[in-house]
């Protein structure tokens, strides 16, 4: 039998292996996610480190894992993308009945309403809260509020129904139900709207915040033009821990959307089938030609997998973050423009924040303006 025929079963194994696999998949948190696993500006990794720096025990956990923890549990849920299931709520209710559970929830969309409504009797309105005083200033998405003894900014918050107020909106707030940044008939005006509330119900303590941004890395640290929120979020944590000698902060990491990527199938073949292929090739060829057999097998697998490899799939972006990066950059640029006293630049940035659809034209105008200042020395 010709040596070439020995290659046929080897190639058949390669084809079967490639057909049976769809690539090596891996998942990572989206850049706009408020997951504690996200170290970017929208993530909550800094808040987790703050908790640990205050001496608390901090773990990442999901509801089904909580009953194995020792001590009193403060379950932390910030900006979830996915609602809680019936089984998850029941698991948390069992802990509440044992007197071992407190909740710290930050959610402006009402995704966690099933949990907070059932355990605490508090829900988030869901529509975005704005204040009339900020319209057209470039800070349209920000709401100033009085929290405890401090004044901070919330970004894209909603409003709460129920609980003992901890934070109230300043100015003239209303719920922008259609998101068009205009006060319209039928949209609720909420003077002194509650943005954060403390609740005790059925043995459960909880703090619910109608906003996840004050826990986000960029707000906790306090970027240019934004006062840091670290002191407020630390105070919330301390309130829930102060009556318990052994407190564990269990931070949820499972109710978030992830982006998925798929590595090329040759990598899968290299991981799954190496010993089989190498052993078969080694015995199929004579000592004079075994190197060529290995080269042919490797090249064949590579070519086949390249043609068959699926494109990377990306999950739906978080709805509330659409356009948020542009808005964030616009707010930073506005802070710089105000600090420099450049009135024209301030107006251009304010227009950009108000109407992201003309971003290309306005960015060109800003660059031309800045270039003119540099050349003219102004």
């Amino acid at each position: 039998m010709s040596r070439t025929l020995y290659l046929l079963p080897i190639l058949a194994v390669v084809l079967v292996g490639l057909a049976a696999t769809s690539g090596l998949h891996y998942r990572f948190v989206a850049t706009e996610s408020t997951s504690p696993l996200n170290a970017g500006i929208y993530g909550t990794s800094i808040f987790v480190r703050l908790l640990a720096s205050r001496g608390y025990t901090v773990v990442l956990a999901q509801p089904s894992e909580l009953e194995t923890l020792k001590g009193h549990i403060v379950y932390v849920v910030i900006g979830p993308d996915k609602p809680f299931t019936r089984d998850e709520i029941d698991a948390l209710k069992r802990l509440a009945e044992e007197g071992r559970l407190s909740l710290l929830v930050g959610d402006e969309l009402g995704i966690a309403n099933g949990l907070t409504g059932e355990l605490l009797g508090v829900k988030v309105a869901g529509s975005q809260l704005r204040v009339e005083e900020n319209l057209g200033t470039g800070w349209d998405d920000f709401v100033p509020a009085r929290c405890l003894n401090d004044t901070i900014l919330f970004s894209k918050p909603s409003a709460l129904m129920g609980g003992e107020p901890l934070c109230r909106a300043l100015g003239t707030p209303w719920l922008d139900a259609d998101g068009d940044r205009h006060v319209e008939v039928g949209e609720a005006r909420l003077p002194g709207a509650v943005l954060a509330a403390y609740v005790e119900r059925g043995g459960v303590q909880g703090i619910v915040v109608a906003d996840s941004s004050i826990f986000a890395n960029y707000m906790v640290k306090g970027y240019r033009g934004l006062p840091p929120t670290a002191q407020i979020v630390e105070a919330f944590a301390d309130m829930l821990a102060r009556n318990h000698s052994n407190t564990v902060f269990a931070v949820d990491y499972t109710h978030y959307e992830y982006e998925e990527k798929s590595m090329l199938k040759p990598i899968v073949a290299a991981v799954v089938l190496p010993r089989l292929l190498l052993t078969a090739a080694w015995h199929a060829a004579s000592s004079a030609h075994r190197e060529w057999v290995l080269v042919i097998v490797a090249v064949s697998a590579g070519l086949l997998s390249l043609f068959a490899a699926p494109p990377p799939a990306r999950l739906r972006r978080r709805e509330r973050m659409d356009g948020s990066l542009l808005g964030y950059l616009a707010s930073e640029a506005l802070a710089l423009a105000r600090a420099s006293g450049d009135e024209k630049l301030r107006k251009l940035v304010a227009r950009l924040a108000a109407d992201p659809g003309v971003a290309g034209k306005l960015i060109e105008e800003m660059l031309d303006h800045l270039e003119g200042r540099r050349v003219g020395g102004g």
Side-chain angles (χ1 to χ4, degrees), residues 61-252:
Q62 56 186 320
S64 61
E65 300 167 335
L66 298 185
E67 30 181 45
T68 63
L69 300 177
K70 304 296 184 183
H72 185 81
I73 300 166
V74 178
Y75 187 50
V76 181
V77 183
I78 307 298
D81 296 313
K82 304 173 184 178
F84 284 78
T85 66
R86 183 68 257 169
D87 287 344
E88 289 174 328
I89 294 175
D90 287 342
L92 292 167
K93 285 180 69 176
R94 286 193 294 271
L95 286 171
E97 291 167 357
E98 297 172 8
R100 297 183 55 213
L101 182 71
S102 295
L103 292 174
L104 177 56
V105 179
D107 172 31
E108 64 273 17
L109 298 182
I111 291 175
N113 276 350
L115 173 64
T116 60
E118 187 157 341
L119 269 67
L120 298 173
V122 173
K123 292 187 176 182
V124 174
S127 298
Q128 185 171 339
L129 190 79
R130 299 184 191 272
V131 292
E132 295 183 32
E133 290 79 1
N134 281 355
L135 294 179
T137 66
W139 293 78
D140 304 54
D141 289 334
F142 290 90
V143 174
R146 188 68 178 171
C147 289
L148 303 178
N149 296 316
D150 202 357
T151 299
I152 65 171
L153 285 176
F154 287 75
S155 175
K156 293 189 174 181
S158 186
L160 283 175
M161 299 168 284
E164 176 186 335
L166 296 175
C167 299
R168 287 188 179 274
L170 301 174
T172 312
W174 92 101
L175 283 176
D176 188 9
D178 57 8
D180 66 354
R181 306 186 186 191
H182 295 288
V183 183
E184 297 176 351
V185 176
E187 292 183 331
R189 293 177 178 271
L190 298 175
V194 178
L195 300 183
Y198 173 81
V199 184
E200 287 189 26
R201 186 189 192 211
V204 182
Q205 289 179 301
I207 292 178
V208 182
V209 185
D211 178 36
S212 61
S213 71
I214 65 168
F215 299 91
N217 293 338
Y218 77 104
M219 295 286 278
V220 169
K221 291 179 65 176
Y223 276 52
R224 291 191 300 270
L226 296 175
T229 60
Q231 186 173 350
I232 294 298
V233 295
E234 288 175 350
F236 289 164
D238 291 344
M239 288 177 66
L240 295 175
R242 65 188 175 194
N243 294 325
H244 307 281
S245 58
N246 182 19
T247 300
V248 177
F249 281 84
V251 183
D252 179 80

Side-chain angles (χ1 to χ4, degrees), residues 43-66:
T44 51
S45 58
I46 293 178
F47 174 58
V48 173
R49 293 202 299 271
L50 278 178
L51 292 174
S53 71
R54 298 180 75 76
Y56 295 123
T57 300
V58 184
V59 298
L60 302 184
Q62 56 186 320
S64 61
E65 300 167 335
L66 298 185

